[in-house]
Amino acid sequence: MSDPRQPFTLTPGAPDSPVLLHVPHSSRRIPHPVRRGITLDDAALERELDHITDAHTAELAAAAARIAPATPWRFVNSLSRLVVDPERFPDEREEMLAVGMGAVYTRTTHREPLRPAEGDPISLLGAYFHPYAAAMTEAVEARIAAAGRAVIIDVHSYPTEPLPYELHGTGPRPPVCLGTDPFHTPPELLAAAEAAFGGRVGPDGIGHDTPFAGTYVPLRHYGTDRRVTALMIEIRRDTYMTEPGGPAGPGLDTLAEALAELVGSVTAR
């Protein structure tokens, strides 16, 4: 699935690679039928996309894949997270519902209306969320079948200054935040990321689960299948781009080298 018109793309890597780079929030694309349900005018929507999009993270993953010792697989969301956010729980387990940012957002990063609160999210979940989840689950299971394990590296970015929607925005905001899960993030995976990124930003530039915590694992495997390991890489945007939605800078290449090193390290295990 590499057609950019599709809601997600799966780019093959080495046949026996266990690594799946997951890039869920890099796109600004919103299909016209979905755009009609968003109440922001065009200028306000562009400003919101500047803030909410993890700009250039798809390019970062692609650059890392090109130089990694063994090419990882890449699963990239081709649509904006304002369509649906595939990393949210689709039910009451999702804490971001408190600020109107569950799987289907009704509020913006500044807690202003995005969609009518009384709207029905079922159609968006059916059209976009559930197919994405099923395809990601299939991609993970294919890595298990081919390599005996799957390593999900979740690639994100975050703004230098906290935005009003953040529930945990008062903590440290290091250049690189490593998001972990107590079941799916083994010590050796975390150590490999610390070594790869710490060599570029310095050991004091690495944080754990601040300002964002956790990592993505398909619900079929979540909390039950130790063959699936996962880590979230959250990169502070001022390290590689002009904020809020500007161009990438030379820092992108340095971060791609770190990500490629991490891919090589976990592939060789």
Side-chain angles (χ1 to χ4, degrees), residues 129-157:
F129 184 94
H130 295 304
Y132 187 105
M136 184 64 181
T137 300
E138 182 180 338
V140 168
E141 292 184 345
R143 294 302 88 224
I144 294 173
R149 59 192 175 106
V151 183
I152 302 169
I153 300 177
D154 213 16
V155 184
H156 292 260
S157 71

PDB file of all heavy atoms in Angstrom, residues 129-157:
ATOM      1  N   PHE A 129     -10.674   5.199  11.330  1.00  0.00           N
ATOM      2  CA  PHE A 129      -9.961   4.673  12.498  1.00  0.00           C
ATOM      3  C   PHE A 129      -9.830   3.155  12.459  1.00  0.00           C
ATOM      4  O   PHE A 129      -8.725   2.609  12.589  1.00  0.00           O
ATOM      5  CB  PHE A 129     -10.666   5.110  13.791  1.00  0.00           C
ATOM      6  CG  PHE A 129      -9.956   4.686  15.054  1.00  0.00           C
ATOM      7  CD1 PHE A 129      -9.064   5.539  15.686  1.00  0.00           C
ATOM      8  CD2 PHE A 129     -10.175   3.430  15.615  1.00  0.00           C
ATOM      9  CE1 PHE A 129      -8.395   5.154  16.849  1.00  0.00           C
ATOM     10  CE2 PHE A 129      -9.522   3.035  16.764  1.00  0.00           C
ATOM     11  CZ  PHE A 129      -8.625   3.903  17.386  1.00  0.00           C
ATOM     12  N   HIS A 130     -10.937   2.478  12.300  1.00  0.00           N
ATOM     13  CA  HIS A 130     -10.907   1.009  12.366  1.00  0.00           C
ATOM     14  C   HIS A 130     -10.129   0.384  11.197  1.00  0.00           C
ATOM     15  O   HIS A 130      -9.357  -0.570  11.421  1.00  0.00           O
ATOM     16  CB  HIS A 130     -12.326   0.457  12.473  1.00  0.00           C
ATOM     17  CG  HIS A 130     -13.019   0.856  13.748  1.00  0.00           C
ATOM     18  ND1 HIS A 130     -12.485   0.596  14.995  1.00  0.00           N
ATOM     19  CD2 HIS A 130     -14.189   1.512  13.965  1.00  0.00           C
ATOM     20  CE1 HIS A 130     -13.300   1.067  15.938  1.00  0.00           C
ATOM     21  NE2 HIS A 130     -14.336   1.620  15.338  1.00  0.00           N
ATOM     22  N   PRO A 131     -10.260   0.873   9.964  1.00  0.00           N
ATOM     23  CA  PRO A 131      -9.406   0.324   8.897  1.00  0.00           C
ATOM     24  C   PRO A 131      -7.920   0.544   9.153  1.00  0.00           C
ATOM     25  O   PRO A 131      -7.094  -0.327   8.852  1.00  0.00           O
ATOM     26  CB  PRO A 131      -9.887   1.059   7.645  1.00  0.00           C
ATOM     27  CG  PRO A 131     -11.301   1.440   7.949  1.00  0.00           C
ATOM     28  CD  PRO A 131     -11.309   1.758   9.409  1.00  0.00           C
ATOM     29  N   TYR A 132      -7.570   1.695   9.693  1.00  0.00           N
ATOM     30  CA  TYR A 132      -6.163   1.968  10.021  1.00  0.00           C
ATOM     31  C   TYR A 132      -5.674   0.976  11.078  1.00  0.00           C
ATOM     32  O   TYR A 132      -4.593   0.384  10.937  1.00  0.00           O
ATOM     33  CB  TYR A 132      -6.049   3.403  10.539  1.00  0.00           C
ATOM     34  CG  TYR A 132      -4.637   3.899  10.779  1.00  0.00           C
ATOM     35  CD1 TYR A 132      -4.058   4.799   9.892  1.00  0.00           C
ATOM     36  CD2 TYR A 132      -3.894   3.523  11.898  1.00  0.00           C
ATOM     37  CE1 TYR A 132      -2.772   5.297  10.098  1.00  0.00           C
ATOM     38  CE2 TYR A 132      -2.616   3.999  12.117  1.00  0.00           C
ATOM     39  CZ  TYR A 132      -2.065   4.892  11.214  1.00  0.00           C
ATOM     40  OH  TYR A 132      -0.790   5.368  11.427  1.00  0.00           O
ATOM     41  N   ALA A 133      -6.466   0.805  12.125  1.00  0.00           N
ATOM     42  CA  ALA A 133      -6.070  -0.119  13.193  1.00  0.00           C
ATOM     43  C   ALA A 133      -5.915  -1.535  12.669  1.00  0.00           C
ATOM     44  O   ALA A 133      -4.976  -2.250  13.046  1.00  0.00           O
ATOM     45  CB  ALA A 133      -7.102  -0.070  14.326  1.00  0.00           C
ATOM     46  N   ALA A 134      -6.823  -1.959  11.796  1.00  0.00           N
ATOM     47  CA  ALA A 134      -6.739  -3.310  11.239  1.00  0.00           C
ATOM     48  C   ALA A 134      -5.490  -3.470  10.383  1.00  0.00           C
ATOM     49  O   ALA A 134      -4.804  -4.505  10.442  1.00  0.00           O
ATOM     50  CB  ALA A 134      -8.000  -3.608  10.425  1.00  0.00           C
ATOM     51  N   ALA A 135      -5.171  -2.461   9.575  1.00  0.00           N
ATOM     52  CA  ALA A 135      -3.995  -2.544   8.712  1.00  0.00           C
ATOM     53  C   ALA A 135      -2.713  -2.528   9.530  1.00  0.00           C
ATOM     54  O   ALA A 135      -1.749  -3.241   9.209  1.00  0.00           O
ATOM     55  CB  ALA A 135      -3.997  -1.397   7.714  1.00  0.00           C
ATOM     56  N   MET A 136      -2.660  -1.723  10.577  1.00  0.00           N
ATOM     57  CA  MET A 136      -1.478  -1.689  11.430  1.00  0.00           C
ATOM     58  C   MET A 136      -1.311  -3.024  12.160  1.00  0.00           C
ATOM     59  O   MET A 136      -0.193  -3.537  12.293  1.00  0.00           O
ATOM     60  CB  MET A 136      -1.593  -0.534  12.420  1.00  0.00           C
ATOM     61  CG  MET A 136      -0.386  -0.343  13.303  1.00  0.00           C
ATOM     62  SD  MET A 136       1.115   0.102  12.410  1.00  0.00           S
ATOM     63  CE  MET A 136       2.279   0.192  13.787  1.00  0.00           C
ATOM     64  N   THR A 137      -2.408  -3.601  12.619  1.00  0.00           N
ATOM     65  CA  THR A 137      -2.356  -4.911  13.253  1.00  0.00           C
ATOM     66  C   THR A 137      -1.812  -5.953  12.286  1.00  0.00           C
ATOM     67  O   THR A 137      -0.958  -6.778  12.649  1.00  0.00           O
ATOM     68  CB  THR A 137      -3.756  -5.318  13.743  1.00  0.00           C
ATOM     69  OG1 THR A 137      -4.229  -4.344  14.686  1.00  0.00           O
ATOM     70  CG2 THR A 137      -3.733  -6.686  14.404  1.00  0.00           C
ATOM     71  N   GLU A 138      -2.277  -5.916  11.060  1.00  0.00           N
ATOM     72  CA  GLU A 138      -1.799  -6.853  10.034  1.00  0.00           C
ATOM     73  C   GLU A 138      -0.314  -6.669   9.770  1.00  0.00           C
ATOM     74  O   GLU A 138       0.435  -7.641   9.606  1.00  0.00           O
ATOM     75  CB  GLU A 138      -2.605  -6.655   8.762  1.00  0.00           C
ATOM     76  CG  GLU A 138      -2.237  -7.609   7.638  1.00  0.00           C
ATOM     77  CD  GLU A 138      -3.070  -7.379   6.392  1.00  0.00           C
ATOM     78  OE1 GLU A 138      -4.167  -6.801   6.490  1.00  0.00           O
ATOM     79  OE2 GLU A 138      -2.616  -7.784   5.303  1.00  0.00           O
ATOM     80  N   ALA A 139       0.135  -5.412   9.734  1.00  0.00           N
ATOM     81  CA  ALA A 139       1.554  -5.140   9.491  1.00  0.00           C
ATOM     82  C   ALA A 139       2.419  -5.676  10.631  1.00  0.00           C
ATOM     83  O   ALA A 139       3.508  -6.226  10.399  1.00  0.00           O
ATOM     84  CB  ALA A 139       1.774  -3.640   9.321  1.00  0.00           C
ATOM     85  N   VAL A 140       1.952  -5.527  11.861  1.00  0.00           N
ATOM     86  CA  VAL A 140       2.690  -6.058  13.015  1.00  0.00           C
ATOM     87  C   VAL A 140       2.739  -7.581  12.963  1.00  0.00           C
ATOM     88  O   VAL A 140       3.789  -8.197  13.190  1.00  0.00           O
ATOM     89  CB  VAL A 140       2.044  -5.555  14.313  1.00  0.00           C
ATOM     90  CG1 VAL A 140       2.589  -6.316  15.530  1.00  0.00           C
ATOM     91  CG2 VAL A 140       2.299  -4.062  14.497  1.00  0.00           C
ATOM     92  N   GLU A 141       1.630  -8.189  12.648  1.00  0.00           N
ATOM     93  CA  GLU A 141       1.608  -9.650  12.605  1.00  0.00           C
ATOM     94  C   GLU A 141       2.470 -10.185  11.466  1.00  0.00           C
ATOM     95  O   GLU A 141       3.068 -11.266  11.588  1.00  0.00           O
ATOM     96  CB  GLU A 141       0.163 -10.129  12.491  1.00  0.00           C
ATOM     97  CG  GLU A 141      -0.618  -9.831  13.774  1.00  0.00           C
ATOM     98  CD  GLU A 141      -2.027 -10.373  13.764  1.00  0.00           C
ATOM     99  OE1 GLU A 141      -2.530 -10.740  12.685  1.00  0.00           O
ATOM    100  OE2 GLU A 141      -2.633 -10.407  14.852  1.00  0.00           O
ATOM    101  N   ALA A 142       2.590  -9.441  10.393  1.00  0.00           N
ATOM    102  CA  ALA A 142       3.480  -9.851   9.305  1.00  0.00           C
ATOM    103  C   ALA A 142       4.937  -9.821   9.753  1.00  0.00           C
ATOM    104  O   ALA A 142       5.738 -10.675   9.353  1.00  0.00           O
ATOM    105  CB  ALA A 142       3.278  -8.946   8.093  1.00  0.00           C
ATOM    106  N   ARG A 143       5.297  -8.838  10.570  1.00  0.00           N
ATOM    107  CA  ARG A 143       6.673  -8.792  11.091  1.00  0.00           C
ATOM    108  C   ARG A 143       6.916  -9.963  12.045  1.00  0.00           C
ATOM    109  O   ARG A 143       8.008 -10.547  12.055  1.00  0.00           O
ATOM    110  CB  ARG A 143       6.921  -7.464  11.818  1.00  0.00           C
ATOM    111  CG  ARG A 143       6.904  -6.191  10.974  1.00  0.00           C
ATOM    112  CD  ARG A 143       7.934  -6.231   9.842  1.00  0.00           C
ATOM    113  NE  ARG A 143       7.365  -6.845   8.645  1.00  0.00           N
ATOM    114  CZ  ARG A 143       7.959  -7.744   7.869  1.00  0.00           C
ATOM    115  NH1 ARG A 143       9.187  -8.162   8.149  1.00  0.00           N
ATOM    116  NH2 ARG A 143       7.372  -8.249   6.817  1.00  0.00           N
ATOM    117  N   ILE A 144       5.933 -10.314  12.848  1.00  0.00           N
ATOM    118  CA  ILE A 144       6.077 -11.465  13.740  1.00  0.00           C
ATOM    119  C   ILE A 144       6.249 -12.745  12.923  1.00  0.00           C
ATOM    120  O   ILE A 144       7.105 -13.587  13.222  1.00  0.00           O
ATOM    121  CB  ILE A 144       4.860 -11.577  14.680  1.00  0.00           C
ATOM    122  CG1 ILE A 144       4.813 -10.373  15.632  1.00  0.00           C
ATOM    123  CG2 ILE A 144       4.905 -12.877  15.468  1.00  0.00           C
ATOM    124  CD1 ILE A 144       3.554 -10.316  16.474  1.00  0.00           C
ATOM    125  N   ALA A 145       5.458 -12.874  11.878  1.00  0.00           N
ATOM    126  CA  ALA A 145       5.552 -14.070  11.035  1.00  0.00           C
ATOM    127  C   ALA A 145       6.913 -14.163  10.352  1.00  0.00           C
ATOM    128  O   ALA A 145       7.469 -15.258  10.202  1.00  0.00           O
ATOM    129  CB  ALA A 145       4.430 -14.064   9.999  1.00  0.00           C
ATOM    130  N   ALA A 146       7.464 -13.034   9.941  1.00  0.00           N
ATOM    131  CA  ALA A 146       8.719 -13.033   9.199  1.00  0.00           C
ATOM    132  C   ALA A 146       9.939 -13.100  10.102  1.00  0.00           C
ATOM    133  O   ALA A 146      10.947 -13.726   9.741  1.00  0.00           O
ATOM    134  CB  ALA A 146       8.807 -11.779   8.332  1.00  0.00           C
ATOM    135  N   ALA A 147       9.875 -12.451  11.272  1.00  0.00           N
ATOM    136  CA  ALA A 147      11.063 -12.299  12.113  1.00  0.00           C
ATOM    137  C   ALA A 147      10.903 -12.867  13.510  1.00  0.00           C
ATOM    138  O   ALA A 147      11.864 -12.852  14.300  1.00  0.00           O
ATOM    139  CB  ALA A 147      11.425 -10.810  12.224  1.00  0.00           C
ATOM    140  N   GLY A 148       9.720 -13.345  13.832  1.00  0.00           N
ATOM    141  CA  GLY A 148       9.487 -13.882  15.175  1.00  0.00           C
ATOM    142  C   GLY A 148       9.188 -12.824  16.212  1.00  0.00           C
ATOM    143  O   GLY A 148       8.899 -13.138  17.375  1.00  0.00           O
ATOM    144  N   ARG A 149       9.220 -11.561  15.815  1.00  0.00           N
ATOM    145  CA  ARG A 149       8.951 -10.447  16.731  1.00  0.00           C
ATOM    146  C   ARG A 149       8.658  -9.206  15.894  1.00  0.00           C
ATOM    147  O   ARG A 149       8.950  -9.167  14.694  1.00  0.00           O
ATOM    148  CB  ARG A 149      10.145 -10.172  17.646  1.00  0.00           C
ATOM    149  CG  ARG A 149      11.423  -9.818  16.894  1.00  0.00           C
ATOM    150  CD  ARG A 149      12.648  -9.839  17.807  1.00  0.00           C
ATOM    151  NE  ARG A 149      13.882  -9.608  17.057  1.00  0.00           N
ATOM    152  CZ  ARG A 149      14.582  -8.480  17.072  1.00  0.00           C
ATOM    153  NH1 ARG A 149      14.169  -7.469  17.849  1.00  0.00           N
ATOM    154  NH2 ARG A 149      15.675  -8.352  16.363  1.00  0.00           N
ATOM    155  N   ALA A 150       8.076  -8.220  16.545  1.00  0.00           N
ATOM    156  CA  ALA A 150       7.841  -6.922  15.915  1.00  0.00           C
ATOM    157  C   ALA A 150       8.319  -5.842  16.869  1.00  0.00           C
ATOM    158  O   ALA A 150       8.043  -5.900  18.067  1.00  0.00           O
ATOM    159  CB  ALA A 150       6.359  -6.721  15.601  1.00  0.00           C
ATOM    160  N   VAL A 151       9.040  -4.865  16.322  1.00  0.00           N
ATOM    161  CA  VAL A 151       9.519  -3.717  17.092  1.00  0.00           C
ATOM    162  C   VAL A 151       8.907  -2.470  16.477  1.00  0.00           C
ATOM    163  O   VAL A 151       9.266  -2.083  15.361  1.00  0.00           O
ATOM    164  CB  VAL A 151      11.061  -3.617  17.082  1.00  0.00           C
ATOM    165  CG1 VAL A 151      11.515  -2.453  17.964  1.00  0.00           C
ATOM    166  CG2 VAL A 151      11.699  -4.927  17.536  1.00  0.00           C
ATOM    167  N   ILE A 152       7.966  -1.858  17.190  1.00  0.00           N
ATOM    168  CA  ILE A 152       7.316  -0.643  16.709  1.00  0.00           C
ATOM    169  C   ILE A 152       8.078   0.560  17.261  1.00  0.00           C
ATOM    170  O   ILE A 152       8.234   0.706  18.479  1.00  0.00           O
ATOM    171  CB  ILE A 152       5.851  -0.582  17.170  1.00  0.00           C
ATOM    172  CG1 ILE A 152       5.074  -1.810  16.690  1.00  0.00           C
ATOM    173  CG2 ILE A 152       5.191   0.702  16.664  1.00  0.00           C
ATOM    174  CD1 ILE A 152       3.701  -1.946  17.324  1.00  0.00           C
ATOM    175  N   ILE A 153       8.558   1.399  16.360  1.00  0.00           N
ATOM    176  CA  ILE A 153       9.178   2.665  16.762  1.00  0.00           C
ATOM    177  C   ILE A 153       8.258   3.765  16.266  1.00  0.00           C
ATOM    178  O   ILE A 153       8.102   3.975  15.066  1.00  0.00           O
ATOM    179  CB  ILE A 153      10.597   2.804  16.197  1.00  0.00           C
ATOM    180  CG1 ILE A 153      11.484   1.653  16.710  1.00  0.00           C
ATOM    181  CG2 ILE A 153      11.197   4.155  16.585  1.00  0.00           C
ATOM    182  CD1 ILE A 153      12.892   1.651  16.144  1.00  0.00           C
ATOM    183  N   ASP A 154       7.653   4.436  17.208  1.00  0.00           N
ATOM    184  CA  ASP A 154       6.613   5.425  16.967  1.00  0.00           C
ATOM    185  C   ASP A 154       7.279   6.796  16.850  1.00  0.00           C
ATOM    186  O   ASP A 154       7.905   7.266  17.803  1.00  0.00           O
ATOM    187  CB  ASP A 154       5.679   5.384  18.178  1.00  0.00           C
ATOM    188  CG  ASP A 154       4.245   5.659  17.869  1.00  0.00           C
ATOM    189  OD1 ASP A 154       3.864   5.593  16.703  1.00  0.00           O
ATOM    190  OD2 ASP A 154       3.496   5.929  18.825  1.00  0.00           O
ATOM    191  N   VAL A 155       7.175   7.452  15.698  1.00  0.00           N
ATOM    192  CA  VAL A 155       7.934   8.674  15.419  1.00  0.00           C
ATOM    193  C   VAL A 155       7.011   9.894  15.504  1.00  0.00           C
ATOM    194  O   VAL A 155       6.065  10.024  14.712  1.00  0.00           O
ATOM    195  CB  VAL A 155       8.605   8.606  14.035  1.00  0.00           C
ATOM    196  CG1 VAL A 155       9.470   9.836  13.805  1.00  0.00           C
ATOM    197  CG2 VAL A 155       9.451   7.336  13.904  1.00  0.00           C
ATOM    198  N   HIS A 156       7.322  10.797  16.447  1.00  0.00           N
ATOM    199  CA  HIS A 156       6.502  11.979  16.715  1.00  0.00           C
ATOM    200  C   HIS A 156       7.385  13.203  16.897  1.00  0.00           C
ATOM    201  O   HIS A 156       8.605  13.108  17.018  1.00  0.00           O
ATOM    202  CB  HIS A 156       5.701  11.787  18.010  1.00  0.00           C
ATOM    203  CG  HIS A 156       4.646  10.755  17.955  1.00  0.00           C
ATOM    204  ND1 HIS A 156       3.315  11.048  17.773  1.00  0.00           N
ATOM    205  CD2 HIS A 156       4.706   9.410  18.085  1.00  0.00           C
ATOM    206  CE1 HIS A 156       2.610   9.936  17.789  1.00  0.00           C
ATOM    207  NE2 HIS A 156       3.432   8.925  17.971  1.00  0.00           N
ATOM    208  N   SER A 157       6.718  14.363  17.013  1.00  0.00           N
ATOM    209  CA  SER A 157       7.405  15.572  17.436  1.00  0.00           C
ATOM    210  C   SER A 157       6.461  16.378  18.317  1.00  0.00           C
ATOM    211  O   SER A 157       5.253  16.128  18.353  1.00  0.00           O
ATOM    212  CB  SER A 157       7.860  16.408  16.237  1.00  0.00           C
ATOM    213  OG  SER A 157       6.760  17.002  15.581  1.00  0.00           O
TER     214      SER A 157
END
